[in-house]
Structures are given as structure tokens and as C-alpha cells.
Amino acid sequence: THNVGVFPFYTGTVHRVLRASDGALLMRVDSTVGGFSSSPLAVDLDGDGNDEVIVGTTYVLAPPLTAEIQILDVARETAETYELPFAMGVTPLVHVAEGSDQLELVFVGFDRPSGEPPSYRFQRVALGARAPAHITWGGYMGNCGTGRADCPAP
């Protein structure tokens, strides 16, 4: 993911999905949203055996701060965009909601009304998907915070 333009005047964002084995471009999504993008996450949301990529982008130009979440389905070559009424302060985390089998996205959201200090809050967004047997890359530093895809046994 990279931004188009110069801070703070970004005019767009480009997301690219590359195949790790040879660097081949699998998918490219151009957005007119200019802002800061989160690290990408990877999890199978639709049960087809292929991971979807989740990226959040926060608009930075003027209050009110808002954001969008994009879900890139490489297998189907589609991108869905969901608008958020607040900014994303950090890269989200995909995890299984406590006491259920459903996936959700959690992150720190914030808003900064004109002339006021920022207001931070913990956000949970239901992804409407059942948890797969394995989450491939659920957070900025992986599923365990180690930067590795596999977690050591407890």
C-alpha cells in the first residue's frame, strides 16, 4: 500500500497484492482516499479457502476525521469498501469474538472535532464471518505479536 501525493495533501491510495513466491501482481486497487493506511491483514472471510486482505485507511486532511476499511478478495478480484465515522488510530486486529465463533476487527478509533483534543475509543466491528480453523495474519505483528505467522505452543 502506498499513498499518492505529499503529506498532508494525499490524493489517493494504491493497494497491491503480490504473490510471495515470485512477486507477480495478483490485484491492484486504486482509491481516491488519501491518508494513512494500516498494515494489511489476511484471513479467509468467506470460507472459500483463500484469504481476503483487509486494509484500513484514515482520511487526514480535515475534521471530522473518518476512515474506510477495504476488503480485497483476490480470488474473485473484487474490493468492498466500508466507511467509518471516525479515524483508525492503529492497525486493526482480526480475532474471534469472545464466546462466539464470529470474526471481528478491533482497533483504537479516534475523532478530533475542530479546536478540541482528540477523543480515543476502543472499536469492535463484526465482520459477519465465521472463524476459520486458522487466521493467517491477524495483526500488525502476526497472530501472536512476534512478527511470525506461527505461534509457539503455550
Side-chain angles (χ1 to χ4, degrees):
T1 297
H2 73 271
N3 295 311
V4 178
V6 178
F7 177 82
F9 305 107
Y10 297 124
T11 59
T13 304
V14 178
H15 303 296
R16 290 186 181 99
V17 180
L18 306 176
R19 186 172 33 239
S21 63
D22 61 6
L25 179 66
L26 300 176
M27 185 174 181
R28 176 184 167 135
V29 177
D30 294 292
S31 172
T32 58
V33 175
F36 296 108
S37 294
S38 70
S39 296
L41 308 176
V43 63
D44 183 6
L45 294 174
D46 57 13
D48 67 355
N50 297 302
D51 287 334
E52 282 71 45
V53 178
I54 302 172
V55 180
T57 301
T58 294
Y59 305 103
V60 296
L61 290 180
L65 296 175
T66 58
E68 70 178 22
I69 295 172
Q70 286 192 309
I71 298 177
L72 314 178
D73 188 332
V74 179
R76 293 188 175 102
E77 296 186 11
T78 61
E80 297 177 33
T81 300
Y82 301 92
E83 300 289 330
L84 300 175
F86 42 77
M88 295 178 71
V90 296
T91 293
L93 172 72
V94 173
H95 80 116
V96 181
E98 191 173 331
S100 80
D101 64 350
Q102 297 294 302
L103 289 174
E104 67 180 3
L105 204 61
V106 295
F107 56 92
V108 175
F110 69 95
D111 193 7
R112 187 177 190 160
S114 286
E116 295 182 31
S119 169
Y120 295 90
R121 58 188 170 252
F122 181 73
Q123 299 292 332
R124 299 169 72 169
V125 177
L127 292 173
R130 293 187 75 159
H134 175 72
I135 295 174
T136 304
W137 196 257
Y140 170 66
M141 292 295 291
N143 297 331
C144 303
T146 61
R148 297 175 54 95
D150 56 339
C151 296

